[in-house]
Amino acid sequence: MEVIDQHRSIRKYKDDPVPQEILDKILNAAIRASNTGNMQMYSIIVTTDKDIKKELSPCHFNQPMVNQAPVILTFCADINRFSKWCELRGAKPEYDNFLWFLNGMTDAILASGNAALEAETHGLGICYLGTTLYTAEKICDILELPQGVVPVTTLVVGYPDGTPELTDRLPLEGVIHKNKYREYTDQNIEDIWKEKENSEETGKLIEINGLPNLARVFTDKRYTGKDNQAFSDSYMAVLKKQGFLK
Amino acid sequence: MEVIDQHRSIRKYKDDPVPQEILDKILNAAIRASNTGNMQMYSIIVTTDKDIKKELSPCHFNQPMVNQAPVILTFCADINRFSKWCELRGAKPEYDNFLWFLNGMTDAILASGNAALEAETHGLGICYLGTTLYTAEKICDILELPQGVVPVTTLVVGYPDGTPELTDRLPLEGVIHKNKYREYTDQNIEDIWKEKENSEETGKLIEINGLPNLARVFTDKRYTGKDNQAFSDSYMAVLKKQGFLK
């Protein structure tokens, strides 16, 4: 599908707002996604207010696109709405556990994927903000997420200022497995990463970072063990605080 | 987008195989999805072998579509491949933690969403199997998933035998929040569920189950507290066993 083949993350946006009619199409596409038991255990926070975007910006490490892009969509796992409905009907909701975090997260992520593609068919650009997982507690505060609601990902949406190159991917055969998983040999690993490691972009990255190879750029600079552990602990704590780990 | 608007889960399939050329398009669409740091911390197990599908069937509660549909795609969070690459390059991978399960899961789910839509543009039908989370340990055994790999969702793919009705969704305004989360009042909840509760389908469901309302169908029959807790515990145990909770 062309819109899938042409996807690139957009990190620079024009000032132009997203017309309400198109925003509604994006949100309606989001809720058409498959979801667990058709229970729709997610919520989407649509932030267009400049002051609130400014508050969210540090949660996303002050990447300029958070203030630049006209729309920020924060996708949350949400057992709160469904549980409230159960209680009103004399049914006993017991969704305050890890399974329903995972179900709600799955549904929220699928909704975000639909939203992203729908946005792109209307000439908009998007970027996912993985920082959502790092600073979830602060995002809960700013967006006033109650018990039973936790953010899982964020999309910025707006009109692209420029068209970046498509990013590369590992060769398909490096990522798929026929029938069962086949463990990778050293030679498999060499073959899978060969093209990426030999690209001009990788050469520049290694030089800028003063490191011997691309793997070290990831482990020493971009996603360090210390950060990975700290963010693992903080997200687990948020799950507990928001009521998903009974 | 029409393919999004027309999505319905398909639970009955024809025998016709999926041509390799179309399967490749589906898989290539999957890997074009956004992913964390372009590190592609996921793997896709493409199961077409009838004997292995038969082994998987009980993991998905023996739903007939698992054997009927020609292709089963099991999407896994995978830190194994990337970590092996790091080790080969003298870099120290520290991705064996909860954050990278969440990143890998996000990426795997987004890849599955692209695969689903690409399949549907080619006239194929799909259905998500949430049972993947319930029986992950058994799936690890059957698909021989090594340390650092855990299944997060499954898609069955094949040519639909029939066209079911579109399923309903809660009204858009029930699922989105403007700028910040606004807590639901009892009246909000009544309004959001009104149409669903008054539908003919709901009437039938309540009658068949002999329960006083739809909420009770969910809490007493479909997703009980006892099951929710058992599957929460078993998935957390699998995450530990597969090496994601250092």
Side-chain angles (χ1 to χ4, degrees):
Chain A
M1 207 186 325
E2 203 191 333
V3 65
I4 286 177
D5 297 340
Q6 290 303 310
H7 163 72
R8 53 262 281 166
S9 295
I10 299 297
R11 293 186 171 81
K12 281 188 172 181
Y13 291 90
K14 294 181 183 165
D15 274 341
D16 313 5
V18 179
Q20 187 63 45
E21 184 201 335
I22 291 180
L23 184 54
D24 284 345
K25 283 187 182 175
I26 294 169
L27 297 170
N28 274 304
I31 70 166
R32 287 308 313 163
S34 292
N35 72 92
T36 309
N38 206 17
M39 293 151 85
Q40 291 182 260
M41 295 276 213
Y42 60 85
S43 275
I44 309 170
I45 322 292
V46 185
T47 305
T48 55
D49 181 277
K50 285 190 179 177
D51 291 334
I52 302 173
K53 289 200 296 167
K54 207 173 279 177
E55 278 186 80
L56 284 172
S57 174
C59 298
H60 301 298
F61 297 0
N62 296 308
Q63 295 175 86
M65 57 184 161
V66 175
N67 288 309
Q68 244 176 33
V71 178
I72 309 292
L73 302 177
T74 308
F75 292 82
C76 305
D78 184 344
I79 56 167
N80 169 56
R81 181 179 57 240
F82 196 88
S83 297
K84 280 206 149 54
W85 172 62
C86 290
E87 278 161 10
L88 265 185
R89 295 292 177 264
K92 191 179 169 200
E94 295 175 280
Y95 303 104
D96 50 352
N97 42 52
F98 190 50
L99 177 70
W100 284 91
F101 162 67
L102 295 173
N103 286 337
M105 174 169 169
T106 301
D107 299 351
I109 299 287
L110 284 176
S112 79
N114 269 14
L117 289 174
E118 183 72 30
E120 289 173 334
T121 62
H122 295 284
L124 288 153
I126 63 100
C127 190
Y128 275 91
L129 303 179
T131 38
T132 310
L133 296 174
Y134 306 167
T135 61
E137 189 177 4
K138 185 76 187 147
I139 294 172
C140 288
D141 287 346
I142 295 169
L143 298 181
E144 297 172 8
L145 306 183
Q147 279 281 302
V149 186
V150 69
V152 296
T153 198
T154 302
L155 274 181
V156 298
V157 183
Y159 288 97
D161 187 7
T163 309
E165 294 289 307
L166 282 180
T167 48
D168 65 345
R169 290 290 184 271
L170 299 175
L172 183 60
E173 55 282 12
V175 179
I176 68 163
H177 301 256
K178 286 181 188 159
N179 288 309
K180 295 188 177 192
Y181 200 95
R182 52 121 189 58
E183 186 53 286
Y184 297 92
T185 63
D186 288 358
Q187 189 57 52
N188 293 151
I189 298 287
E190 295 290 345
D191 294 343
I192 291 167
W193 264 275
K194 191 177 175 181
E195 200 177 322
K196 194 188 280 274
E197 290 184 309
N198 290 330
S199 76
E200 200 178 319
E201 206 194 324
T202 295
K204 282 186 207 158
L205 256 180
I206 292 172
E207 205 186 308
I208 292 169
N209 285 285
L211 285 166
N213 59 52
L214 181 62
R216 291 279 302 273
V217 175
F218 285 104
T219 58
D220 297 17
K221 294 273 177 170
R222 291 189 171 176
Y223 302 96
T224 66
K226 195 181 151 199
D227 283 349
N228 296 336
Q229 196 57 57
F231 296 142
S232 295
D233 294 346
S234 67
Y235 200 81
M236 199 64 100
V238 169
L239 283 186
K240 197 173 166 81
K241 189 177 172 191
Q242 295 303 102
F244 284 92
L245 294 181
K246 200 193 79 173
Chain B
M1 208 188 321
E2 203 190 336
V3 65
I4 286 177
D5 297 341
Q6 291 303 311
H7 162 72
R8 54 260 282 164
S9 295
I10 299 296
R11 294 185 170 82
K12 281 188 174 181
Y13 292 90
K14 294 182 183 163
D15 274 342
D16 313 3
V18 179
Q20 187 61 45
E21 184 201 332
I22 292 181
L23 185 53
D24 285 344
K25 282 187 182 175
I26 293 169
L27 298 170
N28 275 303
I31 69 166
R32 287 309 312 163
S34 292
N35 73 92
T36 308
N38 206 16
M39 292 151 85
Q40 292 181 261
M41 295 276 214
Y42 60 86
S43 275
I44 309 170
I45 322 292
V46 186
T47 305
T48 54
D49 181 276
K50 285 187 178 179
D51 292 334
I52 302 174
K53 288 200 296 165
K54 208 173 278 176
E55 280 187 79
L56 284 173
S57 174
C59 299
H60 302 299
F61 296 0
N62 295 308
Q63 295 176 87
M65 59 184 159
V66 175
N67 288 310
Q68 246 177 32
V71 179
I72 310 291
L73 301 177
T74 307
F75 293 81
C76 305
D78 184 344
I79 57 168
N80 169 56
R81 181 179 57 239
F82 196 88
S83 298
K84 280 205 149 55
W85 172 61
C86 289
E87 278 160 9
L88 264 186
R89 294 294 177 264
K92 191 180 167 199
E94 294 175 281
Y95 303 104
D96 51 352
N97 41 52
F98 190 50
L99 176 70
W100 283 90
F101 163 67
L102 295 173
N103 286 337
M105 173 169 169
T106 300
D107 299 351
I109 300 287
L110 285 176
S112 78
N114 269 15
L117 289 173
E118 183 72 30
E120 289 173 335
T121 61
H122 296 284
L124 289 154
I126 63 100
C127 190
Y128 275 91
L129 303 179
T131 37
T132 311
L133 298 174
Y134 305 168
T135 60
E137 189 176 5
K138 186 77 188 143
I139 294 172
C140 288
D141 287 346
I142 296 169
L143 299 180
E144 298 172 7
L145 306 183
Q147 279 282 302
V149 186
V150 69
V152 295
T153 198
T154 302
L155 274 181
V156 298
V157 183
Y159 289 97
D161 187 6
T163 310
E165 293 289 306
L166 281 180
T167 48
D168 64 343
R169 291 291 185 270
L170 299 175
L172 183 60
E173 53 284 12
V175 180
I176 67 163
H177 300 256
K178 286 184 186 154
N179 287 309
K180 294 187 178 193
Y181 199 96
R182 50 121 189 59
E183 186 54 287
Y184 297 93
T185 64
D186 288 358
Q187 189 56 52
N188 292 151
I189 298 287
E190 295 291 347
D191 294 343
I192 291 167
W193 264 275
K194 192 176 174 183
E195 201 177 322
K196 193 188 281 274
E197 289 184 310
N198 290 329
S199 76
E200 200 179 320
E201 204 195 325
T202 295
K204 281 186 209 157
L205 255 180
I206 292 171
E207 206 186 308
I208 292 168
N209 285 286
L211 286 166
N213 59 51
L214 182 62
R216 291 279 301 274
V217 176
F218 284 103
T219 58
D220 297 17
K221 294 274 177 170
R222 292 190 171 174
Y223 302 96
T224 66
K226 195 181 150 199
D227 283 350
N228 296 335
Q229 196 58 57
F231 296 142
S232 294
D233 294 345
S234 67
Y235 200 82
M236 199 65 99
V238 169
L239 283 186
K240 196 174 167 83
K241 189 177 172 191
Q242 295 302 102
F244 284 93
L245 294 181
K246 202 193 77 175

